[in-house]
Amino acid sequence: MSGRKKVLVVGGTGYLGQHLLQGFLEVQDSHYDLAFTHHSTPPKALLDVIPHALAFHVDLQSGQGFDAISHAFGQPHVIVNCAALSVPRACEKDPSAAMSLNVPCSLVNWLSSFRENNALLIHLSTDQVYQGLKSFYKEEDETLPVNVYGKSKVAAEQFISDKCSNFAILRSSIIFGPQTMSPVPKSLPIQWIDSVLSKGEAVEFFYDEFRCPVYVKDVVAIILKLSNNWISEAKQTRLLLNVGGPDRVSREQMAKSVALIKGYETSLIKPVSASSVDRGVKSPADISMDIRKLVQTLSIHPTPFVDGVRLTLNTEARP
């Protein structure tokens, strides 16, 4: 493929979306033309940082807005779908909204409207597709989600693999790291733990739910590598990867990492069982993931959890 390459980030105003736009922007001698979609008003701060990117208002349920991308931006070479209804409790309350937002029907239908089939769809899925009854799930393990969010993501994976010629599905764990260029309103995991522990009061954390949290810049590096590989080789790609960090940790262990780095009393951290709290949604107990396929496929070694926490807190501490 010759000339400048077009990259569309669907859900570009979200946490991963903003870090991703920044990552594409920072590529040396950037040969990318960038566009992103947003559901509400695009943040001015984001457009100030990436003034050459095109912003499009798109309704992912109806598909309204995709035609404007066709006319003003054209067919993208790489599409990264970061958009989702990703709060499990919200999905549980409104399963139809979860399915219509998380299964990218309108996006895939729009891509199929182009005559040339030379685009790669990189789609963010979740570790919550796994049942959570063992440790270190592999990509080929059966998907048996215990909540609506996980079920909607399994449906999305199936839809994409049925309808798309070229795709990379990334089953991501909790994504953590520094705040975005235009701060997102949602609570970020490490920053929230830091905030509650800084008050000097006892806080409860689950000791019996396990994930493999992944540093946001590692996720960006993975997507950049997949994009570069596609643009340079254009070989058929049908890829499914677990995208987690190298460490299996509980919420209690996450909190202890923050406490040790910031010098808080670890005695403030009170371990409780996940079953002791009603969160309005069933949550899998252990969805830690085996990431050997990721390492072997892309030669990327995700950051150890404690190092990622230190990088996050050091970034937040800067004026």
Side-chain angles (χ1 to χ4, degrees):
M1 296 185 190
S2 58
R4 292 181 68 81
K5 302 303 168 223
K6 297 176 182 179
V7 175
L8 173 67
V9 178
V10 178
T13 56
Y15 182 72
L16 176 59
Q18 289 197 47
H19 276 287
L20 197 50
L21 288 168
Q22 188 173 8
F24 275 109
L25 193 69
E26 289 171 355
V27 171
Q28 193 97 32
D29 302 321
S30 182
H31 49 274
Y32 296 111
D33 289 328
L34 294 175
F36 66 92
T37 76
H38 57 92
H39 182 60
S40 50
T41 307
K44 183 179 181 300
L46 182 56
L47 290 168
D48 286 345
V49 176
I50 46 169
H52 301 300
L54 297 178
F56 296 95
H57 180 269
V58 171
D59 184 321
L60 290 174
Q61 288 173 292
S62 69
Q64 191 170 359
F66 280 120
D67 283 347
I69 301 176
S70 301
H71 294 308
F73 188 63
Q75 181 180 5
H77 297 93
V78 175
I79 306 92
V80 188
N81 183 26
C82 305
L85 184 59
S86 58
V87 179
R89 188 166 49 187
C91 293
E92 217 66 27
K93 283 184 177 174
D94 195 345
S96 61
M99 286 293 175
S100 61
L101 279 166
N102 291 347
V103 181
C105 297
S106 62
L107 170 60
V108 170
N109 290 340
W110 172 65
L111 291 176
S112 66
S113 71
F114 291 99
R115 267 179 298 182
E116 285 191 48
N117 189 12
N118 62 350
L120 173 69
L121 173 61
I122 302 173
H123 175 79
L124 270 293
S125 189
T126 176
D127 53 3
Q128 295 209 39
V129 299
Y130 299 118
Q131 190 174 12
L133 297 182
K134 65 170 195 164
S135 302
F136 298 112
Y137 280 87
K138 295 182 175 67
E139 287 86 350
E140 59 269 23
D141 284 331
E142 190 175 7
T143 52
L144 288 167
V146 300
N147 55 38
V148 170
Y149 174 56
K151 288 171 185 171
S152 71
K153 287 297 201 172
V154 169
E157 290 185 7
Q158 189 63 54
F159 181 78
I160 289 166
S161 57
D162 287 346
K163 302 286 184 184
C164 295
S165 301
N166 298 292
F167 61 82
I169 292 169
L170 310 180
R171 288 179 177 161
S172 168
S173 185
I174 297 167
I175 298 174
F176 72 95
Q179 182 58 275
T180 46
M181 299 178 281
S182 175
V184 292
K186 76 171 189 173
S187 177
L188 301 178
I190 303 306
Q191 289 84 337
W192 180 82
I193 293 170
D194 182 23
S195 169
V196 295
L197 291 178
S198 69
K199 293 171 184 171
E201 299 167 4
V203 192
E204 294 180 342
F205 291 93
F206 300 141
Y207 66 82
D208 54 357
E209 276 189 6
F210 296 91
R211 312 279 291 272
C212 290
V214 60
Y215 188 53
V216 67
K217 297 197 184 225
D218 291 334
V219 183
V220 170
I222 288 161
I223 293 170
L224 286 172
K225 187 93 178 260
L226 287 167
S227 302
N228 288 334
N229 288 353
W230 170 253
I231 283 164
S232 61
E233 298 168 13
K235 288 195 301 199
Q236 184 172 34
T237 302
R238 298 175 67 82
L239 192 59
L240 172 64
L241 291 176
N242 285 337
V243 174
D247 301 305
R248 170 185 178 268
V249 292
S250 66
R251 302 282 175 160
E252 178 197 12
Q253 289 168 319
M254 290 171 70
K256 282 185 174 175
S257 295
V258 174
L260 289 168
I261 289 166
K262 291 297 291 277
Y264 301 134
E265 286 291 333
T266 54
S267 60
L268 297 171
I269 298 163
K270 303 299 180 188
V272 297
S273 173
S275 61
S276 68
V277 179
D278 180 9
R279 286 172 281 172
V281 59
K282 194 172 180 186
S283 192
D286 187 344
I287 44 176
S288 54
M289 297 186 294
D290 183 325
I291 60 166
R292 281 177 293 182
K293 185 179 173 185
L294 166 70
V295 174
Q296 289 162 2
T297 305
L298 297 178
S299 299
I300 287 176
H301 297 264
T303 307
F305 180 70
V306 171
D307 294 345
V309 172
R310 191 174 282 109
L311 286 165
T312 300
L313 294 171
N314 288 346
T315 303
E316 298 291 333
R318 287 177 201 151

